[in-house]
Amino acid sequence: SGERALWIDSEGQAAYITCKEGLQVIVDQDNGYGLLTSRNKSTVSDPLVKIRDQLGDQAALRVIQESTDPDAYAIEIANIAGTKAVISGSGQASFGNSDTAFDAMLLVKGINRGDGIVLKDAGSSDTVVKIYESVDDGVVDVYANNSVTARIHGNGTSFVPNPFGIGVTTPEAELEV
């Protein structure tokens, strides 16, 4: 207990394992670590941890140093086309975007036109709100019973349900201010 079971000091590849289950670590001590990896260099450009795809030629998951905060790390998730999601140690997240230089707390880039952010009802599969882009314009749809009842469109038709009140909690006319 407390001693090293295995010590490898190498200038190159320290360990290479080829088998059905590559590595299993069982921790039998309270507050132990399943895997602890660290780097003793102050400047890093390669990932601290890299998990490759099933063919071994593409990075599927990496732990990287953040580009905006050198003291923080981020988890980068990718496919063959490149990075698709990043969760930052600084509290930021990016989905559908390959940039790790965050300019917002949450950045979502649609993969296809009309994709975006969908909020579902907790008690059903009903869509409640959808935020997306339509030919480079922003759209916010609000739903009732899976049908759009209100829309704000950055460069198109916007509408709200009737009756609609501004500064009125129980409007009685089509539009009441």
Side-chain angles (χ1 to χ4, degrees), residues 42-160:
S42 61
T43 305
V44 295
S45 58
D46 290 327
L48 182 62
V49 175
K50 184 187 286 187
I51 298 174
R52 295 194 172 272
D53 67 356
Q54 60 270 29
L55 298 177
D57 62 346
Q58 300 292 324
L61 184 138
R62 303 184 319 157
V63 176
I64 60 170
Q65 188 173 19
E66 280 189 22
S67 59
T68 55
D69 183 353
D71 294 329
Y73 289 87
I75 297 172
E76 184 179 78
I77 304 165
N79 66 15
I80 196 166
T83 301
K84 296 299 174 192
V86 178
I87 302 170
S88 130
S90 298
Q92 299 160 308
S94 171
F95 299 95
N97 188 39
S98 62
D99 192 358
T100 58
F102 300 99
D103 59 359
M105 289 302 293
L106 174 64
L107 183 129
V108 178
K109 180 179 180 183
I111 296 170
N112 299 305
R113 293 241 185 252
D115 290 347
I117 301 170
V118 175
L119 177 64
K120 296 271 189 173
D121 178 65
S124 70
S125 62
D126 289 358
T127 297
V128 178
V129 176
K130 183 175 181 183
I131 303 171
Y132 59 101
E133 55 84 28
S134 171
V135 192
D136 203 26
D137 301 323
V139 181
V140 178
D141 286 343
V142 179
Y143 290 73
N145 299 317
N146 279 327
S147 294
V148 177
T149 57
R151 173 174 287 158
I152 299 171
H153 193 293
N155 190 24
T157 304
S158 298
F159 56 89
V160 294

